[in-house]
Each structure stands twice: as C-alpha cells, then as structure tokens.
Amino acid sequence: MLVNDPAAAHFEIDPDRVDLVEEFRRNPKGPHSDTLRKVLHRMRWSGEGGRFVLVTVEPGRRWVLGRLPERRGDPVELFRNQTFDNPAEAEWHVFKLRWQAITGRAIEADSVSGS
Amino acid sequence: MVDTNSVLGYAAPIVASPGERIQFHLSSASLTEVGVEVVRVRCGDPDPAGPGLRLRAMGSAIDGRRPVHFQPIRPGSFALIPDRMPLPQLGSFSFACFLWPTWPAKGATQTVAARVGATGEGWRLEMMADACLRLVVQARDGRTAEVRSTKPVLEREWVFVAASYDEGGALLLEQASLDPQAGRDCSCSNGASAPGGLAWPAATPLTLAARWTGWDGDRPVAAAHFNGKIDRPRLYGAALSGDQLRALCEAVVPRAGDPLLVGAWDLSRGIGSDLVCDRAANRLDGRLYNLPARGVTGANWDGTVMSWQAMPEQYGAVHFHDDDMADAGWQPDFALDVPTDWPSGFYALKLTGTRPDGDPVESFVGFFVRAPLGQAKAPVAFVASTATFLAYANSALRLDQSHAESMLEGLIQLSPDDCYIAEHRELGLSTYDTHADGSGWIYSTALRPILNMRPRANSFNYVNDTHVLDWLEEKGFEYDIIADDDIHREGAALLAQYRCVITGTHPEYYSREMWDAFDAYQRGGGRHMYLGGNGFYWRISWNPAMPASIEVRRDVSGVRTWEGEPGEAYHSYTGEFAGLWRTSGRAPQRLVGVGFDAQVFDRSAFYRRLPASHDPRVAFMFEGIGADERIGDFGLRNGGAAGLEIDRADPTLGSPPHLLRVATADRIGYGGLPSPEEFRTAHRGLDGEQNANVRADMIFFPTAAGGGVFATGSIAWACALSPKGYANNVSRITENVLRRFLDPAPFAGF
C-alpha cells in the first residue's frame, strides 16, 4: 500500500529570504525560481496550518477562502468575509498565512486587495 | 450563490434512444416541490470567459412543478444469507473465518458476523472500538453474555478468528495471528460463561460484515459495518475448539457431508457476481449488497499466482467497506418517454427551487439521448465518454489527497459540489478516491447522483466535452451522440454507421470491447478525430449483469491516486488484467497515434507547426493558417490549447510509420511532469522545461481502406475552440479536419 505522506515535504524555509516573498508577491502564478518552487512545494504538499482552498461563489468571478476539514466527512470551513475576485490575490493571501505558520514570522507587507 | 445540491437525482438508464423510457429518481432533504424542465445541453460550462451555460428547453411532457421527498442512501457493503433452516434451530454453534481488518482504529463497533433480531436477541461477533473482538449472545428474555479477546487485532494483518457458544453455558473466543512474530502476534484465547440453552431468533438473516437491522421494502438495512477482508467464513452446529476450527477452515473445500457443518461460504465462487455461495450441504446461499471488492487475495494467497482465475482457492475473500455504495435504491419519481423527434445529444433534467434561506436552487440530472441504435441520423458521432464520467463520478480527490495542490500548482478551487461531497460521502466516491479505510474504489455505478456529470459541474470531462458540442452547433455540424456503453455493447457496427467519430477531451477509460470497436472502425476506413488527452489509458470492465457499472483496478503503473494490493490487479467482473492498456500491449499510440506522457496543470502551451505540416497531403488541415502561426496560444484552461493532460507520438510505443507529426507543443515548462510509465529511472531533468518528451503532439495518419486519424493530444484543446468568437486557429484546424473527414474521398498517397 503506497501512500502520499504529507509530512514528506521537509524543505526548510529560511524566514530571512524576503526576496522569495517578494518574488511570489509579484508573480503568484510563476514561473518561479528554483528556491521559490521548493518553498511552494513545502507549503502545498504539507498543508501546514490547514489546507486552505478557494470555494467558487460565482464561476470565474468570485471566490471565498475556505479550509479543508481535518477529519474526512466534516464540512469545508468557509471564511465568508474573505472573498477574492482574482485567484492570484488569494494565492498571495494564503502564502502569507503559510509563511507565518511554517516560519513563525509574519509577512508585514500587505497588498491584498480582496475584500 | 446558486445551490446545485438541495435536490439531487439520477436517471436510469443514463443513455436512451428516442422512444425509450428514462426514469428519474430524486431526493431532497429541504425542498418539497421542484420545478422540472428537460434541457438539451449545448455548453455546460458556466465560466463567463467562455460561451457560458447554453441549455435549450425541450418542452417535455414531464416539465412543470413536481413534489419531491427525501430518500436516504445507505452505504456500506455486507453479505446477507436469508433465514433458512437450520439457522434458527441451532443450539451450540461455532463461527470461524480469516480476518484482515483495514480500519481497526475506527473507534466504532464493526460487525464480523451476526444473526441478530429486532430487539438484539441472537449472536454477533464484533470488532470493538479498541480493535479487540467480542462474541455477544442474547436470549429472547434479554439475558446477555459476552466474551472479549484480550489483544487488539492489527491493521492489515491476517488473523484467524474462532468463536463458539456451547449451550451448556460457555463462550469461547480465540484468535491466531498468521504471522506471529516481530510484534505481530495478537493470538489469544478467552472464555466466559453464558446462559445455557439459548434459542435463536426467528425470521432473522445471517449477515457478514454488518448487522442486519430490518427491511426497507425488499432491501435489507444494516449497521455497524466492517472494514476489511473476510475469508472462508464457516458456521458449525457445535461448540468446537479453536484448533478444530482452524484445521477445518484451512481446508479450502470443506467436507460437505460433515453433519456439523451448517454453512461454508466460498467467496471465490461467483467472483464476477453478487452471489455468496455455500459449499455446505444446506446450500445457504446469499448475496452481497453495495458491491464490496471481490477477486481479492485470501489469507492463503502466497504469490504463486496473480490472477483469481488461475487459482481461485487463494481468492476466497471479500473486502468490505463501510462506505461502499453501488445503488442508491431510490424510488422513481417520474419517467420520460423520450420523444421520437428529439435530436441526439447531452441532456439534463433541470431542477429549480428556492432554499429556505432564499438562495436559488438550480440542480441537474445528466443523461444522454443517442440516435436509435442502427439508425444514424448524422454523418458525425460524438462519443459521450460515459466510462470516464463513471470513473470520475463524485471525485473527492481534491478533498482527500495531499498531493492535489502540488499537482495543480496552485490553490485548489472547490465548487459547491465539492463542498457537498465533503459532507455527503454516502453518495459514493470515484475510482480516483480511497475508501475511509485507505483502499481504492474499484467500482463505480450510475445508480446514484453523479455531481460532475451534469451542467455547472467541475470543469473536467463532462463540462469540457460540452465545448466540442457547443462548437459543433456553432459551426452547424449535425451530430449524433453515441455513448461508451453502446460502443461496448454494440461494437464496431455502431461506429461503422458514421463517416467520422469524434472522441472528446478525455476518453481515458476503455474496455477491450470498446478498443476493439475503434480498431475495427479505423481499419474499415472510418475517420476518427481524437480531440483530447490521456485517452485510451486505463483498462476497464463493465459489469455484464449490472448496466452502467464499471471496474477499475490500479496496478503499479500509470498516474494513480492509489495503488492496489499485490495480487489484486485482475478485474472481478471479467477476469481481465487491469492497469494501463500500455501494459497490456496496447499503448494508445497504436490506436490513435499519440499517448499520454504528462500532466501540466499550471499553464497551457501553444503548438508550433512542424515541417510535416507543409506536406501537401495534409494541406487541407492548415488552410488559412500561417506558416509560423502559433496555434492555440489562448484558451479557457490556463491560457493555451496544449495543457492539463497531454499526449505524444512515439514509434516505439506503436505510432504508425505513416504518421505525420504536424505540430507540437514541446515547451511546456517545469509544471509539465511525465507520467510514471514514461521514465525508467528517476533523474533530474524529467520535467517539461528540460524534457522534450513532455509535449503534446498534433498528428494525422491514414488508415486502411482510406480512413484517417487526427489527434491533438491535449485536454485543453476543446476549451480553446470558442475564443475570439470561434474565429481562431484551433477552431479553424478542427473545422478543416472535420470537413475533410466528412469527404468520402479516401486519403491517398501515403
């Protein structure tokens, strides 16, 4: 039985690498530098801090931030006051949440324009 | 926010011809009335960047307001042996079996076997929340006794279990680990006293893997389901010791003349069916409910054979799951007699209403109307990839699997349907998912609501395919729908009626019969346009007795979201080897010129023309296209026509010698990752930034008898047909090819 181990992503993120933060902020969809790719893999594979997702409110136009349940069968948690009209804004928002969850350090610069 | 799930339903059958009847089975937990309207689907994708939802009301006899009520779904598989002599007459008894628990840590009671009446009288062998076993007996007067094992059973380790009641007043429970070393030994023997002379309940079936709780019409209702395998369950009419029972159960074929033998259920018999066969003289045959996995290795499987057909006696187990779901069993609400003048197409029952909180409800039940079999109405057939739709039905992959976000290279976008499935696992999941016990779903059926086979569904498969329908309608091409079901059953003769057959964005799942039909069609001069990617990839079986039910087994090759157990790579429905068609000697390249090589979900690429595109024999294809024109540097799926899942040509895998590789998208970037069967050893440099074999190829080749095959090798292709008002080069090439394919003039000069 071969399983995907969420704990297998072990790339250490250097909290001082604000250049990587800036690179992502400028261009959430990539292409990204090699190191930023590793940072993103750590974040996306492990789901550290909870697996954030987008839930479509209006196809192609509006999304609300959500988080997958830890236990199968439980509801998806919705953050109804956190909506986006562009997935790239959501990527940046979640990047900041994950950066803090993994490094313990908050990203101060905030350019989220979602309501 | 439009609610797509407050009322759900399914059509049976999902494919019908004009003049045939389709029944609709609906349920709603919150609405008492819904608006019903039959629509023909031109485009099912609500994305505002594309054509948008395009549904044509048909004005059917069933349109109008209709009452709707709640109908439950009861998941969980089990075996039921009807109450027959001598079950109610037993005094002392013994039950024994081999057990392979897959979720002992569930934290709830799971039933191994039981014969329990309405008020709990009877006996039951259970695995408790702490993974220890217990045998409970209860008299009609309420007196109970039980014996518990003192060691918890281990997950995915075989253990022999023997339980007995002696009417003299004793209970015995013994378990023996089959691999009693290295910390795996959970063998123990425990006894307890019990009331003597118990009488067992009447009119009570014997069940395996769940406890029967009553009847809903003619369907049994059960509870406390077991997760795992049960092998060689046997029942004796005496209190035998563990050693005696072990010796008896080790024998694959019991002595049928043994007067103590009440039932010996041989689960290696009737593997392709729901039959539970008793080899004892009493013939206490039963049946399985909700399609537990058959053709799985038993406790005695030793690796000598890999197929249940080669040595069925080593496949005498069934793997039960508490979330197996094969048939919702809902009562039909009403039926549609498909009018004889309705055109073939994708159809849906549109269900509308208002939620108690005021949000609008707009739900759909998808179905398909084909041309009457043998009476083609159009020169073109578009294939409804119902096998693929079933394989993906109610996929929870993005909810449950940790690789999903990395694979998609970005935040997972869920639809309201996904959120509904998150909480409503009783719908039954897809063959991409794992059961709650971690094992893969190998069966999928259409006898349940399928949320992603209808308009507004997630943009994959069904919805993407409707972009081809939208394009055909936009361009004025008449077409018939033929479904995978029909191709499987009717074969090449069905395809042969059409001058051109189009397979859509993702015809991934193929039975041998379907493959043979296409092979014969192409050899016979047919024209095949394959406008997708990752097609003709996994081998499936259709259940011969249960329409619209397929089996998928994932072996140790291919892009697989789960991996099957060793020795379990043969379909239970047909006995065929499962896995990739490539592994069975039929790489897709042999049939359609190209075959799956990579996934690329972060961005889609464009095609560039190759020298072969200037060959005069394919001049028809590039009429109106510039020599250096980028093809498909636009599209609804990540900005290009080459993306999501892509295919390439390869002579070593069977691409024909006369194949012309006319265009390629071979600059895919690092998001393009090859499928596992595409590399023999892991090394840096596998991704699309460095690896030229990660690419989508556009190809053409002529076939025997003047036929031809055109393939684009990309799922994203069809989603690039509509941009710029359909006046784009993806649309142009598709139209050029279709017009030429409709021209009966043979392809010559190759």
Side-chain angles (χ1 to χ4, degrees), chain B residues 190-214:
Chain B
N190 297 90
S193 60
L198 290 181
W200 305 116
T204 299
L206 171 68
T207 48
L208 301 174
R211 177 167 51 82
W212 172 78
T213 60

Side-chain angles (χ1 to χ4, degrees), chain A:
Chain A
M1 185 177 185
L2 184 65
V3 297
N4 284 334
D5 176 6
H10 67 172
F11 182 73
E12 276 197 48
I13 298 178
D14 180 353
D16 292 326
R17 289 294 302 272
V18 290
D19 59 310
L20 298 174
V21 175
E22 188 55 27
E23 181 189 347
F24 186 80
R25 189 191 64 78
R26 280 198 312 267
N27 183 15
K29 274 292 279 178
H32 298 130
S33 66
D34 187 58
T35 308
L36 180 54
R37 283 185 225 168
K38 292 171 180 168
V39 168
L40 289 170
H41 176 71
R42 165 76 185 274
M43 292 177 164
R44 289 168 174 165
W45 186 269
S46 70
E48 222 151 325
R51 175 81 62 196
F52 287 100
V53 296
L54 293 181
V55 176
T56 303
V57 177
E58 205 180 333
R61 293 210 169 99
R62 201 155 62 94
W63 295 265
V64 62
L65 187 68
R67 186 159 52 190
L68 296 185
E70 293 204 353
R71 199 176 60 174
R72 186 179 165 117
D74 283 349
V76 177
E77 184 181 6
L78 295 182
F79 302 91
R80 293 188 185 276
N81 61 349
Q82 189 66 64
T83 60
F84 306 92
D85 55 16
N86 181 343
E89 293 168 5
E91 292 282 359
W92 168 234
H93 181 77
V94 172
F95 182 92
K96 288 188 294 179
L97 294 173
R98 289 173 171 169
W99 184 275
Q100 183 164 10
I102 294 171
T103 68
R105 202 178 293 181
I107 296 172
E108 297 301 331
D110 191 341
S111 63
V112 173
S113 57
S115 55

